[in-house]
Amino acid sequence: MCSGVSSASASLPTSVQPQAWEEQRKEARRLENALDVKLGQFAKLCSGYEQSYSRGDSGLATDQLMDSKSAELERLLSQLSDVNDSMRNALGGRNDTRAHTLTRHRDILHDYQQEFRRHATSLGASRDRVQLLHGSTERSSLLGGPSHNTSGALLRERGQISGANSAVSSQSACLLL
């Protein structure tokens, strides 16, 4: 009878762990599905960022929307990372089929993090382009020139920078000799 009590108490933690594991696995799948949808939406917003400025939409509203979507994605990625850590702790170092499942969830998290970083980098480049073009438009309007000639102004500026870089390089080469 005493051995029956000890075997029942020994089986309790193992029966509780699979339930905790299953709940965490379901939460991970829920977060992965939410991230999949929200990353798709974020990608569409990022790709249309520059066009929203050219349509005359409010830049502040667009930036606020992008910032809120970005913060939401960061929050979801953090939650998924926490769930993965909880799953790893629930696994307790055992190497069974759940270890493979955990590895797959970690890979999915890594893929989502990379995709988010790629879109965030693209968004940053788009913001820089919009700011450069917007600033160029303001300058040409102030100078009395046509505001639609922004690409010409950018090419001239790029040429000037390239020329300055060449001059600095040739001067530094002369100094080294």
Side-chain angles (χ1 to χ4, degrees):
M1 179 142 181
C2 190
S3 65
V5 171
S6 65
S7 67
S9 65
S11 67
L12 182 62
T14 57
S15 66
V16 171
Q17 284 183 352
Q19 287 176 341
W21 170 266
E22 282 302 312
E23 289 173 15
Q24 291 167 347
R25 188 187 61 78
K26 286 178 185 177
E27 179 67 11
R29 289 299 303 152
R30 186 190 66 76
L31 289 168
E32 289 166 356
N33 290 335
L35 276 164
D36 190 40
V37 169
K38 295 205 183 282
L39 275 170
Q41 293 170 346
F42 188 65
K44 285 181 184 178
L45 287 172
C46 288
S47 66
Y49 183 80
E50 291 180 55
Q51 288 79 19
S52 69
Y53 272 88
S54 65
R55 288 190 311 258
D57 292 350
S58 170
L60 181 60
T62 302
D63 285 340
Q64 287 175 344
L65 175 65
M66 297 305 283
D67 290 342
S68 70
K69 293 289 184 187
S70 180
E72 183 179 10
L73 283 167
E74 287 173 345
R75 181 185 55 79
L76 287 171
L77 287 168
S78 176
Q79 286 177 345
L80 183 56
S81 179
D82 292 344
V83 169
N84 283 349
D85 290 343
S86 297
M87 290 170 69
R88 185 191 68 226
N89 293 339
L91 193 59
R94 289 180 301 212
N95 196 7
D96 56 6
T97 57
R98 295 184 299 176
H100 174 72
T101 303
L102 176 60
T103 301
R104 183 65 190 133
H105 283 291
R106 283 185 177 168
D107 291 343
I108 291 169
L109 172 63
H110 180 72
D111 290 345
Y112 285 147
Q113 287 172 330
Q114 283 185 323
E115 185 177 351
F116 174 69
R117 280 193 295 268
R118 184 172 50 88
H119 291 307
T121 301
S122 171
L123 175 62
S126 293
R127 281 181 169 168
D128 290 345
R129 262 192 309 278
V130 164
Q131 186 178 25
L132 179 63
L133 291 175
H134 184 69
S136 169
T137 303
E138 285 178 353
R139 276 183 285 169
S140 62
S141 296
L142 290 174
L143 297 174
S147 62
H148 64 279
N149 193 10
T150 57
S151 61
L154 290 174
L155 289 173
R156 282 191 301 279
E157 187 175 349
R158 182 177 180 191
Q160 290 172 348
I161 291 171
S162 177
N165 283 339
S166 297
V168 169
S169 295
S170 65
Q171 288 296 323
S172 63
C174 290
L175 291 174
L176 293 175
L177 295 176

